[in-house]
């Protein structure tokens, strides 16, 4: 099944999006997830585990685990690997104790 034209394609010449992560500007290409944009910007951890405050970021990259939880535009508990980047997004790190208890913390 072809989905040509239904989603933005990375590298199509469209201008990059500007997002903010904890006050810092991050750029994203159309078609990138929030998680991909953060990793491309050198940001590899944006939350910590509850018990031992260990850093977490992308792990599976496909929405199965909950390691990449981030606050997007004031909405906590979003999986960065699944949220498409949009121009003007406000992203912020999540500390320990966030989520609904099903976030996969094992430390």
């Amino acid at each position: 099944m072809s989905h040509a034209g239904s989603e933005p394609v990375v590298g199509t010449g469209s201008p990059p999006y500007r997002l903010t992560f904890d006050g810092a500007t991050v750029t994203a290409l159309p078609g990138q997830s929030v998680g991909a944009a953060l990793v491309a910007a050198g940001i590899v951890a944006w939350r910590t585990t509850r018990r031992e405050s260990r850093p977490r970021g992308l792990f599976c990259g496909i929405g199965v685990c909950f390691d990449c939880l981030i606050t997007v535009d004031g909405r906590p508990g979003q999986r960065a690997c699944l949220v498409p980047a949009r121009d003007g997004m406000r992203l912020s790190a999540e500390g320990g104790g966030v989520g609904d208890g099903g976030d996969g913390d094992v430390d």
Side-chain angles (χ1 to χ4, degrees), residues 19-106:
L19 306 93
T20 58
F21 173 72
D22 286 344
T25 300
V26 174
T27 58
L29 297 174
Q32 274 188 317
S33 69
V34 165
L38 291 172
V39 170
I43 301 166
V44 297
W46 48 85
R47 86 170 185 93
T48 56
T49 60
R50 280 178 262 184
R51 287 185 290 227
E52 295 184 20
S53 297
R54 293 183 180 175
R56 294 291 187 260
L58 282 181
F59 180 68
C60 75
I62 59 173
V64 175
C65 75
F66 290 82
D67 271 4
C68 66
L69 294 179
I70 192 166
T71 299
V72 178
D73 292 331
R75 294 179 52 219
Q78 304 300 302
R79 286 179 275 182
C81 67
L82 297 180
V83 176
R86 293 185 322 274
D87 196 41
M89 280 182 146
R90 292 170 294 116
L91 310 170
S92 58
E94 294 198 359
V98 298
D100 61 358
D103 62 5
D105 284 354
V106 291

